[in-house]
Amino acid sequence: MAASPPPLPVAERQAATAQAFDPWRPRTLYDMLVHAAERHPDRPYLITDAQTWSYRQMADWAASVAGGLVAAGVRPGDHVGLVMANYPAFAALKFAIAAVGAVAVPVNILNRRDELAYVLRQSRAVMLVAMDRFRDLDYLGMLDEIAPGWETRGGGAALPDLRTVVVFKAEGDGRAGATTFGALEGDAGALPRVDPTAPADIIYTSGTTGAPKGVVLTHDMLLRAAFGSAYARAFEDGRRIHFSLPMNHVYGYVEGLLAVLFAGGAIVPDLKFDPRATLRAVEHHKATDLLLIPTMTLAVLDALADTPVDTTSLRGMLSSGGRTPPGLWDRILATFHGIEITTGYGMSECTASTTVTRPDDPTDRLRTTNGRLRDVGPAGDPAIGHRLVDYRVVDPRTGAVLSPGEVGELMAKGPGVTAGYYDKPEATAEAFDADGWLHTGDLGRVDAEGYLSLVGRVKESYRCGGEQVTPSEIEDVLMIHPSVLQAHVAPAPDDRMGEIGVAFVVVRPGHALDPQALIEWCAARLARFKVPRHILPIDAADVPLTASGRPRKFLLSRMAMERLDLS
């Protein structure tokens, strides 16, 4: 399948993007939408199978919803919760919240009752806009248990800050007596002046190692990061991005919804991931770019075998987050000739991706790194190489700064790094060192040319018989076995060794799990203390993941203890 060649070389596309926004002018999210609508009023901004919204239509819709928020009593600085999948209304509501100077609290749509209650209570949300149902989740039923009578009384004693609940009819029947999303749409009226350096979002970390915390991000931080995506990945004019990653997380939100604003492009969001639906969307809507995590990328490549579609519109692909299976990059290049593949690294605390491979980097950079520290042109800080985030690597035990190429904890600092976690001063103080560097919790290295390579998580490492074990090393060995599609290693307690490794394996279709064979495979390639004691089967759908595709290892450890009866 031959992809269309890019219209201009990478450097020329980057220069055109930089020129349009140099010097950088801080804006709010809503102001940026209005600016894009003035430049490209009739271009498509959001495309679905059922309808397309132009930039002008989306700006008008957002202004209408903003008027409804004001009429409902939402004021600058108020927190508004969103439990909404990738519906077009998510975009309209997101920009509307920004327009009135309120702060959005996008909630992970996979959250269950207690998780939802925690986020709403901890964020002190005054309004919640929630779907009635989505897939197997009944959000109104959850609210019935959390705060009975919410339809007319808000959150009551359980959620004292919550004044209003608005119901978005998604896959259910709504709720009689409750305020509907349609009722929010009103006259735009006069909107307040909003400071671009004010908070725009509180995004809760999914937590690979513990309870979620609310990361505070400003309008200007988000837009600088989104510009950085368009610039570093060399968007052509009108780039059209398809994704099913949830917009309640920075990946789909910043790299998709916001990034296309800087290229007059469009997003083609899906409500849920299906590899065949992804391919059909590329063909039907002429998508030029895909946002994926590696497991999704593999599924799309596999689906091509029995899904005859025209993918020649594709020019770019970002496959990032989670571990990259061996051979993935070569498969992509062999399948989509001429495609510009990029990968990166980031976290909510740093707004979005902070490293990325260049579209014209050698393939070896894809195979061996998570990208170069991201130059974002006029949106960056000249003092740190026009970047938003700088990194250094330190010894996790002593805090000593390590030389290029040495493995240690990655520390981040710069204008793209959050000032802290909402209403959690102790967690904020613990997250930063005395010089203001953020502990990422990630183990990695940065080479002399500024390319970063992830190794694992500091807290996911464990000691077996006193020896330090990094799970990613074992996972890499397991994933080159022909029967293994995914491997996730987590520690479990052991009376003699202190901790042992337990490997959860997703088996490739057509293969059977042979735990002893996999243990012997590891024993032939790893030191004895690194060989997992147990190999357990798991379905891909049952692997507990963060929104960015990282396995939640503390939950896997808990699952291991339950299945092995180690509690």
Side-chain angles (χ1 to χ4, degrees):
M1 300 179 185
S4 301
L8 291 170
V10 168
E12 290 186 37
R13 280 179 272 152
Q14 289 183 323
T17 300
Q19 184 178 14
F21 293 93
D22 190 7
W24 180 260
R25 175 187 165 190
R27 293 181 172 92
T28 68
L29 303 183
Y30 175 71
D31 287 342
M32 184 61 211
L33 174 64
V34 171
H35 175 73
E38 290 170 349
R39 295 179 70 200
H40 315 291
D42 299 319
R43 282 194 187 184
Y45 171 62
L46 194 151
I47 300 169
T48 70
D49 288 344
Q51 187 176 347
T52 294
W53 283 262
S54 70
Y55 274 88
R56 180 192 287 122
Q57 289 170 327
M58 182 56 70
D60 289 345
W61 190 9
S64 173
V65 175
L69 292 175
V70 172
V74 176
R75 299 293 179 259
D78 282 347
H79 297 175
V80 178
L82 298 77
V83 181
M84 192 177 293
N86 287 356
Y87 288 98
F90 180 99
L93 179 59
K94 197 73 193 54
F95 288 115
I97 293 169
V100 302
V103 182
V105 184
V107 181
N108 189 327
I109 59 174
L110 299 180
N111 278 3
R112 304 283 170 163
R113 180 197 64 192
D114 292 349
E115 295 167 309
L116 174 60
Y118 168 82
V119 171
L120 293 176
R121 187 178 302 113
Q122 203 277 328
S123 69
R124 300 179 182 172
V126 303
M127 175 184 279
L128 170 66
V129 182
M131 299 180 289
D132 49 9
R133 295 184 64 91
F134 188 71
R135 303 174 80 167
D136 63 335
L137 293 169
D138 178 1
Y139 303 105
L140 304 190
M142 295 181 201
L143 287 170
D144 289 338
E145 296 182 25
I146 297 168
W150 56 266
E151 298 92 333
T152 56
R153 297 200 302 268
L159 300 170
D161 296 291
L162 186 63
R163 301 192 299 261
T164 308
V165 176
V166 177
V167 175
F168 176 81
K169 191 174 179 181
E171 296 181 357
D173 298 320
R175 177 66 64 87
T179 302
T180 66
F181 182 79
L184 276 186
E185 299 180 37
D187 295 330
L191 295 173
R193 183 182 296 275
V194 180
D195 183 353
T197 65
D201 280 274
I202 299 175
I203 295 182
Y204 279 77
T205 62
S206 301
T208 59
T209 56
K213 300 182 287 290
V215 178
V216 180
L217 301 174
T218 71
H219 295 263
D220 190 46
M221 288 171 66
L222 288 159
L223 290 178
R224 286 177 188 266
F227 174 86
S229 180
Y231 177 79
R233 297 185 61 221
F235 282 8
E236 73 284 353
D237 184 49
R239 178 162 291 210
R240 187 169 291 193
I241 305 179
H242 173 75
F243 60 91
S244 56
L245 296 159
M247 290 188 286
N248 57 54
H249 183 265
V250 290
Y251 195 168
Y253 174 32
V254 176
E255 311 281 342
L257 179 73
L258 298 181
V260 293
L261 296 171
F262 295 95
I267 58 169
V268 187
D270 256 353
L271 296 175
K272 56 193 80 171
F273 175 67
D274 178 275
R276 291 170 181 81
T278 294
L279 290 167
R280 288 191 289 269
V282 169
E283 178 179 56
H284 182 65
H285 298 296
K286 306 300 180 189
T288 59
D289 194 9
L290 290 175
L291 301 182
L292 300 164
I293 61 175
T295 52
M296 290 179 174
T297 311
L298 276 175
V300 168
L301 291 170
D302 290 343
L304 268 172
D306 59 6
T307 311
V309 292
D310 179 3
T311 60
T312 55
S313 63
L314 273 180
R315 293 194 177 110
M317 180 186 297
L318 175 59
S319 182
S320 186
R323 298 199 58 72
T324 301
L328 175 63
W329 306 120
D330 294 325
R331 280 191 68 186
I332 298 170
L333 289 169
T335 303
F336 304 106
H337 300 294
I339 197 169
E340 295 179 343
I341 319 170
T342 51
T343 191
Y345 160 71
M347 57 195 302
S348 299
E349 287 88 341
C350 297
T351 313
S353 294
T354 51
T355 72
V356 69
T357 50
R358 281 179 58 95
D360 53 358
D361 266 346
T363 308
D364 279 349
R365 290 297 190 184
L366 284 167
R367 295 191 185 105
T368 60
T369 79
N370 296 88
R372 186 172 61 185
L373 303 191
R374 180 181 265 181
D375 172 3
V376 300
D381 182 353
I384 54 173
H386 294 282
R387 297 191 290 269
L388 293 176
V389 178
D390 199 13
Y391 283 97
R392 68 183 185 188
V393 182
V394 304
D395 185 308
R397 292 166 299 174
T398 67
V401 179
L402 302 177
S403 300
E406 292 190 271
V407 173
E409 183 183 7
L410 297 167
M411 304 281 286
K413 187 177 183 181
V417 177
T418 182
Y421 301 109
Y422 176 71
D423 204 23
K424 284 186 177 288
E426 292 181 2
T428 299
E430 184 180 349
F432 292 86
D433 72 6
D435 296 321
W437 288 84
L438 171 74
H439 290 277
T440 68
D442 286 321
L443 288 171
R445 64 174 70 87
V446 178
D447 68 20
E449 295 181 276
Y451 283 85
L452 182 150
S453 300
L454 282 179
V455 173
R457 292 283 293 170
V458 174
K459 291 185 179 180
E460 289 171 6
S461 299
Y462 59 92
R463 289 193 174 275
C464 181
E467 298 284 352
Q468 189 80 9
V469 182
T470 303
S472 60
E473 185 178 2
I474 307 167
E475 291 162 353
D476 286 344
V477 168
L478 284 167
M479 286 175 64
I480 59 175
H481 190 278
S483 71
V484 177
L485 181 63
Q486 296 180 36
H488 306 286
V489 175
D494 182 76
D495 290 340
R496 187 168 67 90
M497 302 301 291
E499 291 178 302
I500 55 171
V502 179
F504 288 86
V505 169
V506 179
V507 180
R508 285 190 177 278
H511 291 263
L513 180 68
D514 186 339
Q516 187 56 39
L518 291 178
I519 288 173
E520 292 172 2
W521 174 272
C522 291
R525 293 163 174 81
L526 296 168
R528 179 185 298 179
F529 66 88
K530 298 178 184 178
V531 177
R533 178 78 60 85
H534 302 282
I535 307 285
L536 300 177
I538 191 170
D539 291 334
D542 294 332
V543 178
L545 300 174
T546 68
S548 58
R550 291 189 180 191
R552 305 180 76 181
K553 293 294 184 77
F554 76 101
L555 292 180
L556 286 173
S557 291
R558 193 179 300 168
M559 291 167 63
M561 293 171 65
E562 292 171 354
R563 289 173 64 172
L564 298 171
D565 196 22
L566 298 175
S567 55

